[in-house]
Amino acid sequence: MLRGMVKKYFIKTFGCQMNVYDSNRMANMLEDMGLAPAQNQKDADVVVFNTCHIREKAAEKVFSDLGREYEIKLERAEEGKDTIIGVTGCVVQAEDAEILKRAPYVDFALGPLRYYRLKEVVEEIFNKRDAKLLDTEFSAVSKFDNLPENKSLGGCSFLAIQEGCNNFCTYCVVPYTRGVETSRPVSDILKEARRLAETGSVELNLLGQNVNSYHGEDENGKERNLAYLLNKVAEIDGIKRLRYTTSYPADVDDDLILCHKNLKKLMPYLHLPIQSGSDVILKKMNRRHTRDDYLRVVEKLKEANPDIGMSSDFIVGFPGETDENFAKTLEVVNRVKYIQAFSFKYSKRPGTPAAVMDNQVEEAVKKERLAVLQELLFDYQLKFNQGSVGKVMPVLFEGNGRHKGQLTGRTPYMQNLYAKADISLINKIVEVRVNGASMNSLSGEVL
Ligand code: SAH
Ligand code: SF4
Ligand code: F3S
């Protein structure tokens, strides 16, 4: 325990849901140490930046934000307050020792597989102010075995069931920053799921970089797949809604498709990234699926549950992408009619094969293609949202909305919904009649 006044912490999270999960675990650890959450960075004695390396912009933002944090640290020093600055996440893994050179005022840097050491590291720095620490080992010990119990921080929680990725898509840094794919044992996951339910979660989102290749062992040492795990988690009474993300198209098996037919708790929404609609580009990306493989999976999913809504990630301007290749991506969008999607301009990542491929696409072309793709995607998203008007949907309220007396929550389709509602409804699932729609959100009336 730390002596003196109650210290405060602030965690800034960049990147994907895995980082959100990791940040929650770190918050748990800091609170176990007696630290309280700070309202803002200026108020925090310990600041942690949990970082993302996926695209150049994401990584560069970390350094500019760190620079600002250093200014805050200097201002606080003038008031006689000490500040510990830590960096965790994928930028640490990728930059390694460089990070302490580029941002020498950083006190500690822990890789995504090493943050379980947070408590020990922060204590050491509190006690011995000149200590600096960097740990980016890819160790054989699982971080999950070294973390204190997970505590729910809201009605909807992420639960990491897997870490790392073996797919090595040629544009992607994840296999290098998170290491090879490892699945957690079934019993550990069920224990964490029960604990999250007991502490207030009603929705669980099972996480992995390639979550549907899950193959953890059960108590008898038998390998089990994601479908088995979903069925097991669904048996927990307190859990009313289930999701899983992110899936890899080539690894969607028939068991999983059956879950979308039979498992009532599984939400009718699936994020299944295709990245490109062109087989030529998919091959260069080292994706293990063609356009047709992907469309067949979507078809089977729609047969299993005709109400399913699809979402995807897209990359435009991958090296060698022609206008023709790009047109194939638009074709897929028109076929699948995504209800939501994320799209990005290809970004060169050091050390990945695509970064040194010939025929890199000009920035202006990438920009134009992204605009064209997004216009189409946004149009489908708006149409889907407009189609929700008049329907009654179960909404899980998550927090306060933009206006007073208003809450914000999520529909089964991950749509953001705003409604006038009492704060006692936060973390509850409530029937709401949808009465308005825009591209980004719905409005509704609690029944
Ligand atoms: N494991 C998930 C998510 C990976 S990262 C999956 O396989 O789908 C999230 C998204 O970022 C990817 O789906 C991809 O669309 C995008 N992305 C990854 N690397 C990128 C790069 N170098 N440039 C642009 N977008 C990238
Ligand atoms: Fe990256 Fe591909 Fe793995 Fe997704 S599946 S994390 S895009 S390497
Ligand atoms: Fe970013 Fe690492 Fe996630 S690079 S997207 S935080 S796995």
Side-chain angles (χ1 to χ4, degrees), residues 16 54-56 165 167 169 171-174 208-210 246-248 271-273 275 287 313-316 342-349 352:
C16 65
I54 202 79
R55 283 167 292 274
E56 192 181 350
C165 184
N167 282 329
C169 300
Y171 50 82
C172 183
V173 294
V174 172
Q209 289 302 338
N210 179 0
T246 299
S247 294
Y248 190 78
H271 182 61
L272 190 65
Q275 311 296 356
R287 301 282 290 183
D313 290 342
F314 296 93
I315 296 177
V316 300
F342 304 89
S343 42
F344 313 99
K345 288 182 284 185
Y346 167 70
S347 166
K348 261 191 192 179
R349 307 310 291 129
T352 60

Side-chain angles (χ1 to χ4, degrees), residues 234-427:
E235 286 172 11
I236 301 171
D237 266 348
I239 300 302
K240 309 292 181 207
R241 286 180 165 193
L242 274 174
R243 304 179 189 275
Y244 61 93
T245 200
T246 299
S247 294
Y248 190 78
D251 294 329
V252 178
D253 60 19
D254 289 343
D255 289 350
L256 192 57
I257 290 173
L258 211 59
C259 289
H260 284 277
K261 184 175 179 157
N262 297 334
L263 252 186
K264 291 285 163 278
K265 290 184 181 178
L266 189 57
M267 290 295 100
Y269 169 88
L270 188 62
H271 182 61
L272 190 65
I274 186 171
Q275 311 296 356
S276 165
S278 152
D279 286 346
V280 178
I281 298 299
L282 286 172
K283 193 149 189 221
K284 281 189 164 184
M285 286 177 163
N286 192 33
R287 301 282 290 183
R288 290 181 282 110
H289 61 88
T290 62
R291 181 197 87 124
D292 285 351
D293 296 336
Y294 180 89
L295 291 175
R296 259 193 301 276
V297 171
V298 173
E299 219 166 275
K300 281 190 188 174
L301 284 160
K302 288 192 171 171
E303 272 166 31
N305 180 359
D307 291 330
I308 201 163
M310 300 298 302
S311 143
S312 177
D313 290 342
F314 296 93
I315 296 177
V316 300
F318 185 81
E321 188 187 64
T322 61
D323 285 341
E324 235 181 6
N325 299 148
F326 174 61
K328 301 261 188 210
T329 298
L330 301 177
E331 228 179 86
V332 167
V333 174
N334 284 320
R335 283 278 289 269
V336 180
K337 302 182 174 52
Y338 294 97
I339 69 168
Q340 202 184 334
F342 304 89
S343 42
F344 313 99
K345 288 182 284 185
Y346 167 70
S347 166
K348 261 191 192 179
R349 307 310 291 129
T352 60
V356 292
M357 281 182 186
D358 293 338
N359 302 318
Q360 297 283 333
V361 175
E362 269 176 56
E363 183 59 27
V365 176
K366 288 186 203 170
K367 208 172 152 190
E368 196 192 314
R369 287 185 188 159
L370 187 68
V372 172
L373 175 61
Q374 292 191 334
E375 198 186 321
L376 188 65
L377 289 169
F378 292 167
D379 196 40
Y380 280 115
Q381 186 170 330
L382 176 65
K383 275 192 192 125
F384 181 76
N385 287 350
Q386 285 168 340
S388 305
V389 176
K391 290 190 177 154
V392 175
M393 292 203 212
V395 172
L396 170 54
F397 282 116
E398 289 173 345
N400 287 309
R402 273 177 298 219
H403 303 293
K404 227 183 150 198
Q406 195 189 47
L407 297 184
T408 169
R410 289 207 189 254
T411 72
Y413 293 100
M414 288 293 249
Q415 296 152 296
N416 268 319
L417 182 140
Y418 293 89
K420 255 200 196 135
D422 190 75
I423 49 167
S424 62
L425 294 181
I426 291 181
N427 298 335

